[in-house]
Amino acid sequence: MTTFPLPLSNDARRGSIACVGMGMTLGSHLTPLARSHIEQADVIFAGLSDGVVEMWLQRMHHDVRSLQPYYQEGKSRLKTYKQWVNLMMTEVRAGKRVCGVFYGHPGIFAWSPHKVIEVARAEGFAAHMEPGISAEDCLYADLGIDPGRYGCQHFEATQLLLYKRRIDPTGYLVLWQVGLVGDLSMTRFQTGSAYRQVLVDQLSQDYSLDHEVIIYRGATLPIEKPRIRRVALRDLPHVPLTSEESVVLPPAESLIPNHAMQERLAALDELSKAGALV
């Protein structure tokens, strides 16, 4: 396979950091450029979704260091993510070419990759993020959703509760980390049905309780199929959810024509045809 050499700074011993996406499904989503970053790195830090995926990565590089052991029940995830940044920056400052490998896209629902790149650049080190196929990409494909047809809003579930946001029920609504909704401590790996009931109460202001919601989890192994469940909104609190599953609410209302804007654009078309526009 063709590799793409990474640019060297004036000091070849100077450290660097690249955060790359492994994609969602093992093996099939890794891009050639992401693979090149992995193969040319001195040390790999792995924040992946599955132990099997981590084992597969270890076949590509001799020094793969798992970030998963830093998670602990009752420990703030933000503290864990800060430890990840410190671990990676220690090796960068030591002059090593570091690669952080994360499942999906390294910049989506991932605090540490953004932070480590920010810190590295502030200290004068070369830093790069290489995109990967995300859970959002897989969601569109597996559920047959075109976000350009009706529009699509995305919210982290807890943030939707904590802040006043405008929901547009004429488009798709995608909610992330519903299994963790309401966890303000960042120490739990899931919350219970009472927390999801609060979410349902909020959503019921824009959707009927009979409205169908889709619970989705993409496949992470080639032998798997995506997990897709459809339930009524009222039943969402009573369905077990993991932190990896997303909740999609299809449009509940038809698009409302903006006649004034349509007339304005039609008038511009007529001026354009007459050559009156420059």
Side-chain angles (χ1 to χ4, degrees):
M1 181 175 291
T2 303
T3 60
F4 301 85
L6 307 182
L8 294 176
S9 64
N10 292 332
D11 180 0
R13 295 173 57 85
R14 188 164 179 79
S16 64
I17 176 75
C19 292
V20 307
M22 181 69 85
M24 296 303 298
T25 304
L26 173 62
S28 60
H29 289 173
L30 186 65
T31 67
L33 190 53
R35 179 185 289 271
S36 180
H37 280 288
I38 292 170
E39 293 175 342
Q40 296 184 45
D42 297 315
V43 57
I44 304 291
F45 288 95
L48 300 173
S49 59
D50 192 291
V52 175
V53 180
E54 194 169 294
M55 292 174 61
W56 186 81
L57 178 62
Q58 290 171 347
R59 295 171 57 185
M60 296 176 58
H61 199 281
H62 67 281
D63 189 358
V64 175
R65 306 177 191 182
S66 176
L67 295 171
Q68 292 299 323
Y70 293 89
Y71 281 122
Q72 292 178 12
E73 188 75 38
K75 175 184 175 183
S76 169
R77 289 187 296 280
L78 183 58
K79 182 177 180 179
T80 296
Y81 300 152
K82 288 180 178 179
Q83 287 180 312
W84 291 5
V85 172
N86 290 335
L87 288 166
M88 290 185 279
M89 284 305 304
T90 295
E91 299 301 328
V92 171
R93 293 173 185 131
K96 294 183 180 179
R97 182 176 289 171
V98 179
C99 184
V101 183
F102 299 88
Y103 71 91
H105 188 302
I108 298 180
F109 284 91
W111 185 88
S112 298
H114 284 292
K115 189 63 179 179
V116 74
I117 288 175
E118 175 189 332
V119 172
R121 287 175 176 170
E123 296 183 13
F125 296 104
H128 172 74
M129 180 178 287
E130 185 62 29
I133 294 177
S134 69
E136 178 186 351
D137 301 314
C138 296
L139 181 150
Y140 292 143
D142 292 334
L143 299 184
I145 293 174
D146 180 353
R149 186 176 183 188
Y150 299 113
C152 191
Q153 290 180 300
H154 293 258
F155 295 111
E156 198 277 334
T158 299
Q159 187 190 82
L160 181 64
L161 297 181
L162 295 179
Y163 299 93
K164 295 182 179 181
R165 309 300 299 266
R166 292 185 179 180
I167 293 176
D168 179 4
T170 66
Y172 288 95
L173 176 65
V174 182
L175 300 177
W176 301 91
Q177 299 183 330
V178 174
L180 287 168
V181 66
D183 177 26
L184 304 181
S185 67
M186 294 188 68
T187 61
R188 289 176 283 185
F189 294 104
Q190 64 179 33
T191 52
S193 61
Y195 291 86
R196 292 198 296 279
Q197 184 62 55
V198 175
L199 177 63
V200 169
D201 292 344
Q202 175 71 18
L203 293 172
S204 67
Q205 297 179 26
D206 296 285
Y207 300 89
S208 75
L209 292 175
D210 292 328
H211 189 69
E212 180 184 82
V213 303
I214 305 168
I215 302 171
Y216 169 79
R217 186 182 189 277
T220 58
L221 300 177
I223 60 173
E224 293 179 338
K225 292 184 178 180
R227 186 181 185 188
I228 301 171
R229 296 178 286 166
R230 301 174 188 269
V231 302
L233 178 59
R234 64 163 47 88
D235 296 327
L236 187 60
H238 314 297
V239 178
L241 260 70
T242 66
S243 60
E244 295 83 13
E245 290 179 298
S246 302
V247 172
V248 181
L249 284 78
E253 301 176 8
S254 299
L255 293 169
I256 301 173
N258 186 333
H259 295 294
M261 188 60 69
Q262 291 179 12
E263 292 172 2
R264 182 178 177 183
L265 293 173
L268 286 176
D269 285 344
E270 290 301 319
L271 291 173
S272 179
K273 291 177 184 178
L277 291 181
V278 294

